[in-house]
Amino acid sequence: VRLVESGGGSVQAGDSLRLSCVGSGRTFSDYAVGWFRQAPGKEREFVASINQDAKRTYYADAAEGRFTISRDNTRLTLYLQMNRLKTEDTGVYHCAASRRGILPSRRYEFEDWGQGTQVTVSA
């Protein structure tokens, strides 16, 4: 599945952003999907994932309580609502799709990746 992210930008600490990721093809609902981020000089890290029917979600500790992952299979779209943003949330955010399991969280579990959208949070 092809994935295209949007919604990134430059914001102040404490602000909110909503990222979107549109998937192509008719099998989007067959995939568990998730978000990763990569800060400059750091490895890509897991943020959140959601299962195929959107009934289950899983978050990294850094995202728990501030971020909400959701999906709309009728629109072939994945979302990430990010509230109370911090400077350490800065990075390129990638969406990814997986046919492995229900709530994948490891990079190797995801087969398809988007190009990413930049999020910059300033103090």
Side-chain angles (χ1 to χ4, degrees):
V1 62
R2 183 171 178 265
L3 302 168
V4 180
E5 304 94 336
S6 63
S10 296
V11 297
Q12 299 284 326
D15 286 349
S16 298
L17 274 177
R18 188 195 197 200
L19 306 183
S20 299
C21 172
V22 178
S24 65
R26 295 177 292 176
T27 59
F28 182 76
S29 59
D30 289 343
Y31 292 80
V33 283
W35 289 97
F36 285 73
R37 68 186 183 189
Q38 188 164 17
K42 295 187 177 180
E43 290 192 357
R44 193 171 297 187
E45 65 176 3
F46 171 75
V47 176
S49 61
I50 187 167
N51 78 319
Q52 288 81 348
D53 64 7
K55 291 183 178 179
R56 297 179 63 180
T57 57
Y58 179 56
Y59 295 92
D61 288 345
E64 186 77 59
R66 297 188 300 124
F67 295 2
T68 302
I69 188 171
S70 61
R71 67 189 296 169
D72 183 344
N73 287 338
T74 65
R75 297 178 181 272
L76 308 183
T77 303
L78 171 69
Y79 302 100
L80 185 68
Q81 177 67 44
M82 303 186 294
N83 297 328
R84 302 194 305 278
L85 282 160
K86 304 176 181 180
T87 56
E88 52 263 44
D89 294 320
T90 294
V92 177
Y93 283 69
H94 299 266
C95 62
S98 171
R99 284 182 174 267
R100 301 189 185 191
I102 298 174
L103 289 174
S105 61
R106 311 285 178 91
R107 288 182 60 180
Y108 69 83
E109 295 179 293
F110 291 84
E111 297 92 17
D112 299 309
W113 294 82
Q115 291 298 307
T117 185
Q118 176 71 45
V119 173
T120 303
V121 185
S122 57

